Amino acid sequence: MAYDDQNVFAKILRGEIPCKKVYEDEFALAFHDINPMAPVHVLVIPKGPYVSFADFAREADAETVAGFFQAVNTTARELGLDPQGYRILANHGPTARQEVQHFHVHIFGGTDLGPMISRVGG
Ligand code: AMP
């Protein structure tokens, strides 16, 4: 799938729509999810045009991948989620119901998060 630069996270990166920023560096921007599913629910996005996890893993160079995941770690630490814990999640594609076609990692925390995932399918 080609990257669509009109997706909502591309607009946030360009400053065309606001976000509640948590952390930013040369590799990533982190901001609060508009529809939080936990007391802490933050999204971390790379600055480059990657549709999803698979696109990012395939196309980004090693420095970009490392920098992005370091930014996820820094964001979680700055949110005060370490050492008590948090969960990270990335939806890739239709069966995962990825809504925004710009790669992002969700960080959930601030409470006991329960089981990893509710049982689905057969
Ligand atoms: P996903 O299903 O993994 O693509 O998740 C997309 C997430 O983006 C959802 O949790 C939405 O609530 C969140 N979201 C959509 N628009 C915005 C926005 N303008 N600011 C912050 N979060 C957003």
Side-chain angles (χ1 to χ4, degrees):
M1 177 194 285
Y3 185 80
D4 175 4
D5 69 4
Q6 294 307 305
N7 76 74
V8 66
F9 294 170
K11 291 180 179 177
I12 286 174
L13 278 172
R14 292 195 296 268
E16 293 169 8
I17 60 173
C19 71
K20 283 175 63 182
K21 183 159 78 174
V22 174
Y23 174 77
E24 182 172 16
D25 64 19
E26 66 182 293
F27 297 105
L29 174 67
F31 52 91
H32 290 278
D33 196 290
I34 205 167
N35 183 25
M37 308 285 280
V40 178
H41 183 177
V42 164
L43 302 169
V44 189
I45 66 175
K47 292 207 162 165
Y50 305 102
V51 175
S52 69
F53 170 73
D55 189 29
F56 185 67
R58 197 170 45 235
E59 300 295 336
D61 63 28
E63 184 189 14
T64 302
V65 173
F68 175 75
F69 283 102
Q70 292 291 347
V72 175
N73 179 50
T74 302
T75 301
R77 203 178 58 234
E78 292 197 355
L79 286 164
L81 299 177
D82 234 357
Q84 61 268 50
Y86 57 91
R87 181 170 294 156
I88 62 175
L89 178 149
N91 291 315
H92 166 72
T95 62
R97 303 193 187 188
Q98 181 181 355
E99 289 173 13
V100 179
Q101 306 305 313
H102 180 112
F103 172 50
H104 51 282
V105 166
H106 298 254
I107 301 176
F108 301 102
T111 190
D112 184 321
L113 294 167
M116 183 167 62
I117 186 171
S118 38
R119 193 171 295 278
V120 292

